[in-house]
Amino acid sequence: MRIHRGLALVLALVMTVFLAGSVSAQYPTRQITVVIQAAPGGVSDITARTVASLVEKELGVPVIAVNRPGAAGALAMSYLSRQAPDGYTFGYVPVELSMVRTLGYGDVGPDNLDLLAQAVSVPAAVTVRADSPWTTLQDLIDYAKANPGKIRVGNAGPGSIWHIAAGALERATGVRFTHVPFDGASPAVASLLGGHIEMVTVSPTEILPALQAGEVRVLAVMDRERSPVIPDVPTLAEVGVPGVVVSGWGGFAAPKGIPADVRAKLADAIAKAIQSPEFAEMAASRGMTVAYKPGEEFAAFAQEQYEMFAELIPALGIVQ
Amino acid sequence: MALLAEALQAVFEPTTLLYLLIGVGAGVLIGALPGLTATMAVAILTPLTFWAPPAQGLAMLLGVYNSAIWAGGIPAILINTPGTPASIASTFDGPAIAQRGEAGLALGINTIYSVFGGLFSTLLLAIFAFPIARFALRFGPAEYFALAIFGLSMMVSVSGKSIVKGLIVGVFGLLLSMVGLDPMLSYPRFTFGRFELLDGISFIPVMIGLFGVGEVLDQILKSREEQTRIIPRIGRQLPTRQELARMGPAALFSAAVSAVIGAIPGAGGDIASIICWDQTRRLSKKPQEYGKGSIEGLAATCTANNGVIGGALTTMLTLGLPGDSVTAILLGSLIMYGLQPGPLLFRDHADMAYVIIALMVLAYVAILIVGLGASRVLVRAFMVRKEVVWTAVLILSTVGSYAINNNPLDVWFMFFAGILGLVLRQYGYPLGPLVLALLLGPMAESNFRRALTAAGDAGAWVFVTRPISLILLILAALSLVAPIIQQRRKARQGGVTVQP
């Protein structure tokens, strides 16, 4: 029995070696898994699942989504970095890829993964109540300068991208806010509507209902371009604060070391999915900007962001 | 009301009704299996609804949501294991009723009062959506803290025989709830350097372990008796007129209170049903039965956990703010359909707002029919030998706790919680305070610190200078002191009767 098993093992190994070349040429021959770092139902999940279904059509094999939430996505991303680099596992990577190592939530960064493509971008929107005295960003900054710490800014949690957005604005304009972390962006918005805080820096989607009802005012978006969700709102640079760009983004990555031909096929299918009309429709409905960047460019951008956060996060006093 | 009638007409067509029934059916399965939650139920079905027209897609999602919360009460009653966290309080009285041979009645109460709570809060949504939502917005950090303290004060009344034992378990639960990232500074606490622990100990695996596995292990140790079945008889299903009259006040109170609690973002069926259980006990003529198989207690919890749904939908539809993970997914689906929830929804898409209300009504009609029709089958499924039930619970607990996050560590949590549940049961420690602490500890802590951060110079005065917060804190103090005074009074009266 033992001999038989040993023989089978040797045979399997030999077969693997022989077939390795042709396997990658035929890729894909079986089901592909996409690892999602967030719980089902959220924006990351919908983005990843939309791409998964389009990649499935393109490559002709099932693409199965697996959610592994936890530690701001660090669990899923380090899990992804440990998977076999055979092209049968890829994953969604959000802006937290460039943050979690500095935050101490996990030992994974842009250098641990092979980045395939950026898909979306969501800017931070500097939002105040409509009945507040501030009608422009300059009003807000002037008030904040005269009254340090008086403006309470709600964010989606300590060390979240929206916390860092408010922190970056603080640093660029030389003012001091009181940061109030909430458990997610929508409790922060609820608190703004209830008058318990003065300002939030969250995504345009989150404040859209209140904005349409005339209950809040968006003073600026922290991006290079205006947001298609709220096209009337100027960018920070337009209102005199250049060089501060903080946005949530998301893209796709694979474990490092996948064969070049396999990588090309997978990255190509993902790129096609991101640039499809179906994806554009989904992104628009969720208030995201489609921001396709090919692998190398995405990797350079993620690394640049990594360095920015490595400096910003400790300056905000989040990391000990 | 005319709009509602119109909407009812619009949804009354075969395809929509079919989708609704599929949703309700899926909800029964997912809700009744411990570990599979209403959130998962809605998340799993959401992708299936994208290609359907809005009314049909929403029929399926609202069907599965309401049905999963209702069905969560079924295992809570039959095997003392809540199917979803919203049914935790249904384990206080449900199993005792089933074990005394009235399983049918317990399930009947679950169905009837879930439907009552759901319909009542839907009606409130249809009439008072905006005032309720405005009230919910008045909850700032100070009010959330006071609400959490009010909930935590019920530790004493869910302690059962020994308040001291209850408090020991409760404080232990508060300690466990501290594991993970500090909510304000993001500093890791008690994580032993493990990234998996940064988000804290997952609540659902612990709940499944404490109730499901703990109960099974306890029964195995006790099972020398001749009885081979957990559920002895089905019995009648419908309550008598007197019983209905007895449960009426408790159900009405719970329906009204839970609709408001549901509207407050972040406060859901778990908290609402515990609060309603405790408060209706104070109103009851037979408070001594609570916790030992009181039909009033069961009716209150079953009303409350479905009663929050109308409230949660109110906030989501009128303000565009999701109060919990289920409404967050529903919000996403509405946006997909081009219906942006928010104050303008009722102006620009009033027809759709009323279609949603009409679908809620239909979902509850379906639940009533399915619930009363299928409960004999459900009870029969559990009337097999004990060993079969035990094996099934252990398998489902393992699968369920892994399925939450696809994280093997959660299975370990479930397992250790099971051992803990056994030890606590064996030594007569109550589970209620532990669960309460795990649920409300994080809410109390983060909002306490959030309130102080936002208060600035006002400092801790913020908790007593704001009316809602002050009232809740006074209620909390009363519910802490009341049981102790009652005990004293009883002791004194007892003393008097002994004297000749």
Side-chain angles (χ1 to χ4, degrees), chain B residues 307-318:
Chain B
V308 295
I309 297 179
L313 285 181
T314 302
T315 318
M316 191 268 275
L317 291 173
T318 57

PDB file of all heavy atoms in Angstrom, chain B residues 307-318:
ATOM      1  N   GLY B 307     -40.080  43.891  15.216  1.00  0.00           N
ATOM      2  CA  GLY B 307     -40.538  45.278  15.303  1.00  0.00           C
ATOM      3  C   GLY B 307     -39.471  46.290  14.934  1.00  0.00           C
ATOM      4  O   GLY B 307     -39.787  47.379  14.453  1.00  0.00           O
ATOM      5  N   VAL B 308     -38.195  45.953  15.130  1.00  0.00           N
ATOM      6  CA  VAL B 308     -37.146  46.917  14.799  1.00  0.00           C
ATOM      7  C   VAL B 308     -37.016  47.110  13.287  1.00  0.00           C
ATOM      8  O   VAL B 308     -36.493  48.121  12.841  1.00  0.00           O
ATOM      9  CB  VAL B 308     -35.755  46.508  15.342  1.00  0.00           C
ATOM     10  CG1 VAL B 308     -35.743  46.511  16.850  1.00  0.00           C
ATOM     11  CG2 VAL B 308     -35.324  45.184  14.797  1.00  0.00           C
ATOM     12  N   ILE B 309     -37.499  46.146  12.504  1.00  0.00           N
ATOM     13  CA  ILE B 309     -37.244  46.221  11.058  1.00  0.00           C
ATOM     14  C   ILE B 309     -37.904  47.460  10.450  1.00  0.00           C
ATOM     15  O   ILE B 309     -37.279  48.189   9.684  1.00  0.00           O
ATOM     16  CB  ILE B 309     -37.708  44.930  10.354  1.00  0.00           C
ATOM     17  CG1 ILE B 309     -36.881  43.756  10.883  1.00  0.00           C
ATOM     18  CG2 ILE B 309     -37.565  45.051   8.846  1.00  0.00           C
ATOM     19  CD1 ILE B 309     -37.241  42.422  10.304  1.00  0.00           C
ATOM     20  N   GLY B 310     -39.170  47.704  10.815  1.00  0.00           N
ATOM     21  CA  GLY B 310     -39.838  48.899  10.297  1.00  0.00           C
ATOM     22  C   GLY B 310     -39.083  50.163  10.677  1.00  0.00           C
ATOM     23  O   GLY B 310     -38.921  51.082   9.875  1.00  0.00           O
ATOM     24  N   GLY B 311     -38.573  50.185  11.910  1.00  0.00           N
ATOM     25  CA  GLY B 311     -37.806  51.341  12.370  1.00  0.00           C
ATOM     26  C   GLY B 311     -36.521  51.505  11.584  1.00  0.00           C
ATOM     27  O   GLY B 311     -36.177  52.608  11.139  1.00  0.00           O
ATOM     28  N   ALA B 312     -35.805  50.393  11.397  1.00  0.00           N
ATOM     29  CA  ALA B 312     -34.533  50.452  10.671  1.00  0.00           C
ATOM     30  C   ALA B 312     -34.758  50.907   9.233  1.00  0.00           C
ATOM     31  O   ALA B 312     -33.981  51.692   8.685  1.00  0.00           O
ATOM     32  CB  ALA B 312     -33.856  49.091  10.696  1.00  0.00           C
ATOM     33  N   LEU B 313     -35.854  50.427   8.621  1.00  0.00           N
ATOM     34  CA  LEU B 313     -36.156  50.844   7.249  1.00  0.00           C
ATOM     35  C   LEU B 313     -36.508  52.333   7.201  1.00  0.00           C
ATOM     36  O   LEU B 313     -36.191  53.022   6.235  1.00  0.00           O
ATOM     37  CB  LEU B 313     -37.319  50.023   6.679  1.00  0.00           C
ATOM     38  CG  LEU B 313     -37.009  48.599   6.264  1.00  0.00           C
ATOM     39  CD1 LEU B 313     -38.248  47.937   5.692  1.00  0.00           C
ATOM     40  CD2 LEU B 313     -35.875  48.550   5.247  1.00  0.00           C
ATOM     41  N   THR B 314     -37.174  52.823   8.277  1.00  0.00           N
ATOM     42  CA  THR B 314     -37.529  54.236   8.332  1.00  0.00           C
ATOM     43  C   THR B 314     -36.294  55.109   8.177  1.00  0.00           C
ATOM     44  O   THR B 314     -36.237  55.996   7.328  1.00  0.00           O
ATOM     45  CB  THR B 314     -38.199  54.550   9.685  1.00  0.00           C
ATOM     46  OG1 THR B 314     -39.334  53.720   9.821  1.00  0.00           O
ATOM     47  CG2 THR B 314     -38.618  55.996   9.771  1.00  0.00           C
ATOM     48  N   THR B 315     -35.283  54.840   9.002  1.00  0.00           N
ATOM     49  CA  THR B 315     -34.064  55.652   8.958  1.00  0.00           C
ATOM     50  C   THR B 315     -33.369  55.500   7.613  1.00  0.00           C
ATOM     51  O   THR B 315     -32.878  56.470   7.047  1.00  0.00           O
ATOM     52  CB  THR B 315     -33.107  55.212  10.079  1.00  0.00           C
ATOM     53  OG1 THR B 315     -33.866  55.003  11.244  1.00  0.00           O
ATOM     54  CG2 THR B 315     -32.059  56.257  10.336  1.00  0.00           C
ATOM     55  N   MET B 316     -33.343  54.265   7.115  1.00  0.00           N
ATOM     56  CA  MET B 316     -32.644  54.029   5.847  1.00  0.00           C
ATOM     57  C   MET B 316     -33.350  54.747   4.704  1.00  0.00           C
ATOM     58  O   MET B 316     -32.709  55.408   3.894  1.00  0.00           O
ATOM     59  CB  MET B 316     -32.574  52.517   5.604  1.00  0.00           C
ATOM     60  CG  MET B 316     -31.668  52.106   4.492  1.00  0.00           C
ATOM     61  SD  MET B 316     -32.541  51.973   2.941  1.00  0.00           S
ATOM     62  CE  MET B 316     -33.158  50.307   3.070  1.00  0.00           C
ATOM     63  N   LEU B 317     -34.668  54.655   4.662  1.00  0.00           N
ATOM     64  CA  LEU B 317     -35.399  55.240   3.532  1.00  0.00           C
ATOM     65  C   LEU B 317     -35.472  56.762   3.609  1.00  0.00           C
ATOM     66  O   LEU B 317     -35.331  57.446   2.607  1.00  0.00           O
ATOM     67  CB  LEU B 317     -36.822  54.671   3.461  1.00  0.00           C
ATOM     68  CG  LEU B 317     -36.932  53.203   3.077  1.00  0.00           C
ATOM     69  CD1 LEU B 317     -38.371  52.733   3.201  1.00  0.00           C
ATOM     70  CD2 LEU B 317     -36.418  52.974   1.669  1.00  0.00           C
ATOM     71  N   THR B 318     -35.693  57.303   4.816  1.00  0.00           N
ATOM     72  CA  THR B 318     -35.916  58.751   4.898  1.00  0.00           C
ATOM     73  C   THR B 318     -34.620  59.531   4.990  1.00  0.00           C
ATOM     74  O   THR B 318     -34.565  60.676   4.577  1.00  0.00           O
ATOM     75  CB  THR B 318     -36.772  59.123   6.121  1.00  0.00           C
ATOM     76  OG1 THR B 318     -36.120  58.627   7.279  1.00  0.00           O
ATOM     77  CG2 THR B 318     -38.162  58.552   6.025  1.00  0.00           C
TER      78      THR B 318
END
